[in-house]
Amino acid sequence: MSRAALAARIGESVRTPPVRIIHLGLGAFHRAHQAWYTDQVDDNGEWGIAAFTGRSAQAALELSPQDGLYTLIERSDAGDSAALVSSIVEAVDGSDTARFVELMAAESTALVTLTVTEAGYRLRADGSPDLGDSALAADLAFLADNLDRAARGAISAGGPTTTLGRLVLGLEARRLAGAGAIAIVPCDNMPDNGPLVERAVWALATMLNAETAEWIAAHVAFVSTSVDRITPKTTADDIAAAAGLTGWADRSPVVTEPFRDWVLSGHFPAGRPAWERAGARFVDDIEPFERRKLWLLNGAHSLLAYAGLLRGHDSVAAAMADPVCRGWVNDFWDDAVRHLPAGLLALDEYRAALIERFDNTRIEHRLAQISAEAVTKLRVRIAPVVLAERAEGRQAAAGIRAIASWASLVLAGRQMVDAEAAQIGVIAARPTDAAIAGLVALVDARLAQDAAILADITALVGEYQAE
């Protein structure tokens, strides 16, 4: 259905702005967050988004027949409200290298946003590109042979499949076209994500073409962000709810909570939407905001995912209704806030808001969904708090429990999606004590090198296994 036809059917005004933003990682969170913010402030229809899928083309298959339009349902205990979001003007299969290169080479394109998950960047623990990753190695080999031809649009099929590979190809296309400066805006839960992605992109470009790397250093701005909006996977019931609210059979609505937050730090050399009009904040130092969100929201989510699953719960709200799990979350928050600047971050208010959000029984945030990519998540959400607490002579019991709960699930044979699945499987096959040590080291070597931390995790795993 065309935008005009849908607008006439549901009685709403629908814009079709030109593409000025490219997004990598078309999924529910992007549509609940960056696309929503853009839609809220683009009164003049200037900032259309071309959103490319990641591992699966399904989102593009669902959204393309709808001209990129979708319903956003805000869900609270008070009820549902629905709005039509029109900022995505192209929903594109991520394998369409030709269209990606064409848009990256266009002078009108001002920025690239990304939501590809932490593991999607395929980085080592030190932040360098993981050349042992088969997909990234394949991209490097392809680009070594085809960078110039692909960047000039001479290759219509095939191309890089990883985020870093796609970015390097797209930026080379922009350099060759003389299209000018651009901003890259990663919106994934990684500390200092702007500079982290900058170093990784530059490192990969350096392996391929010195001129490309030099151009990136001079013309590409990498913006750091902290993003926050709980967005569970859409269900068949949600699709029915959307139709009931709007009268339109939307194949791909998004359900999210009323709360949203976006903090950004960096500059946009080719311009940007006025996201601050929808509540986004631009700051000089983003690190405290990143740590608050990573530790308090994401860290608590990971603790609930692994410890809550062991106690038989399946959602955040169900786990928070368990007084034992709720106590563990508050204990972890007590540990974390000791290492955050209280005056700047309004920590008491933030914690109170988190409790209200976690208690929202109508947001089905599944623990199985949160449990994915445990190695990367525990490394940035839990390990820093444990190390900081131990350095000051405290137990860090709640953080220890999060890691031990994950290890217990692994050793019990529970299947969880993880980019490190092959290595996890090898480690888990070892004798129990060696397996625990290996799993802990995979999260953060410093944890495994501390005999007292390792002993506490091993003891807790033993307790779980004895139950």
Side-chain angles (χ1 to χ4, degrees):
M1 181 179 294
S2 71
R3 291 184 165 229
L6 181 57
R9 178 172 176 176
I10 64 177
E12 287 202 25
S13 174
V14 177
R15 301 180 301 273
T16 307
V19 173
R20 297 201 61 201
I21 302 171
I22 296 172
H23 182 78
L24 297 184
L26 172 57
F29 180 76
H30 166 63
R31 291 188 285 147
H33 197 271
Q34 301 89 32
W36 177 87
Y37 273 92
T38 300
D39 185 73
Q40 291 294 298
V41 304
D42 191 20
D43 298 334
N44 297 322
E46 299 175 349
W47 291 97
I49 301 170
F52 289 76
T53 61
R55 288 172 290 187
S56 168
Q58 187 61 33
L61 295 174
E62 292 172 350
L63 284 175
S64 289
Q66 300 178 180
D67 242 359
L69 298 167
Y70 62 93
T71 309
L72 185 77
I73 300 174
E74 288 190 0
R75 176 164 291 165
S76 69
D77 284 329
D80 290 352
S81 63
L84 188 69
V85 178
S86 60
S87 54
I88 295 177
V89 295
E90 291 186 33
V92 191
D93 185 335
S95 66
D96 191 343
T97 303
R99 182 56 176 158
F100 175 68
V101 166
E102 179 183 9
L103 288 172
M104 285 293 292
E107 187 175 358
S108 55
T109 300
L111 56 105
V112 180
T113 56
L114 305 104
T115 52
V116 299
T117 76
E118 301 94 322
Y121 293 93
R122 302 173 189 269
L123 304 178
R124 297 185 183 277
D126 64 1
S128 61
D130 183 3
L131 300 183
D133 179 273
S134 59
L136 190 56
D139 279 2
L140 185 62
F142 172 87
L143 293 172
D145 293 334
N146 299 287
L147 180 61
D148 183 74
R149 290 190 302 134
R152 295 181 187 277
I155 295 178
S156 58
T161 62
T162 67
T163 300
L164 293 181
R166 289 174 177 176
L167 285 175
V168 170
L169 173 59
L171 292 171
E172 174 65 354
R174 193 169 185 86
R175 181 183 78 86
L176 293 174
I182 193 170
I184 307 295
V185 189
C187 299
D188 290 289
N189 293 314
M190 305 180 298
D192 210 20
N193 52 19
L196 183 71
V197 174
E198 178 179 18
R199 290 189 296 270
V201 168
W202 186 86
L204 193 65
T206 299
M207 299 174 199
L208 295 165
N209 186 327
E211 288 182 89
T212 306
E214 291 171 3
W215 185 88
I216 290 171
H219 295 87
V220 183
F222 290 81
V223 177
S224 289
T225 68
S226 173
V227 298
D228 191 356
R229 197 171 201 186
I230 295 172
T231 308
K233 185 177 181 180
T234 301
T235 67
D237 288 343
D238 297 330
I239 293 173
L245 288 165
T246 67
W248 169 45
D250 185 347
R251 297 175 61 195
S252 188
V254 175
V255 174
T256 191
E257 62 176 338
F259 181 93
R260 61 264 178 181
D261 190 41
W262 197 4
V263 186
L264 305 96
S265 181
H267 71 284
F268 296 79
R272 61 167 177 82
W275 290 315
E276 63 271 26
R277 289 178 45 221
R281 289 172 289 170
F282 291 82
V283 300
D284 293 329
D285 182 11
I286 201 170
E287 182 183 8
F289 297 93
E290 290 176 329
R291 286 187 288 143
R292 181 184 69 174
K293 196 263 179 171
L294 280 170
W295 296 354
L296 300 188
L297 184 140
N298 299 125
H301 269 170
S302 289
L303 171 59
L304 289 173
Y306 310 120
L309 285 171
L310 284 170
R311 287 183 62 82
H313 303 301
D314 60 3
S315 71
V316 170
M320 281 296 283
D322 178 344
V324 175
C325 289
R326 196 181 193 92
W328 291 337
V329 167
N330 275 297
D331 289 345
F332 182 73
W333 286 343
D334 288 343
D335 290 347
V337 298
R338 281 192 279 266
H339 308 281
L340 293 170
L344 174 67
L345 299 177
L347 294 173
D348 289 343
E349 293 86 344
Y350 190 77
R351 286 177 63 165
L354 284 179
I355 289 174
E356 182 177 352
R357 297 167 66 193
F358 287 5
D359 284 342
N360 184 350
T361 58
R362 301 189 66 247
I363 290 288
E364 285 289 327
H365 204 183
R366 313 298 290 184
L367 298 183
Q369 177 186 354
I370 300 169
S371 72
E373 306 299 348
V375 172
T376 304
K377 290 177 178 178
L378 290 169
R379 183 179 294 151
V380 299
R381 300 176 177 188
I382 302 293
V385 176
V386 171
L387 291 167
E389 282 291 279
R390 287 290 185 141
E392 295 185 2
R394 290 183 287 270
Q395 289 299 107
I400 293 291
R401 183 172 296 279
I403 297 167
S405 298
W406 167 69
S408 297
L409 290 167
V410 169
L411 295 179
R414 185 179 182 97
Q415 298 299 307
M416 294 176 283
V417 174
D418 204 301
E420 304 286 350
Q423 194 169 358
I424 290 170
V426 170
I427 294 171
R430 298 171 185 168
T432 300
D433 284 358
I436 295 170
L439 292 171
V440 173
L442 195 59
V443 171
D444 193 309
R446 294 169 295 177
L447 296 172
Q449 290 163 1
D450 187 315
I453 290 177
L454 189 57
D456 285 351
I457 292 173
T458 301
L460 193 51
V461 172
E463 291 178 20
Y464 277 129
Q465 291 177 329
E467 291 178 354

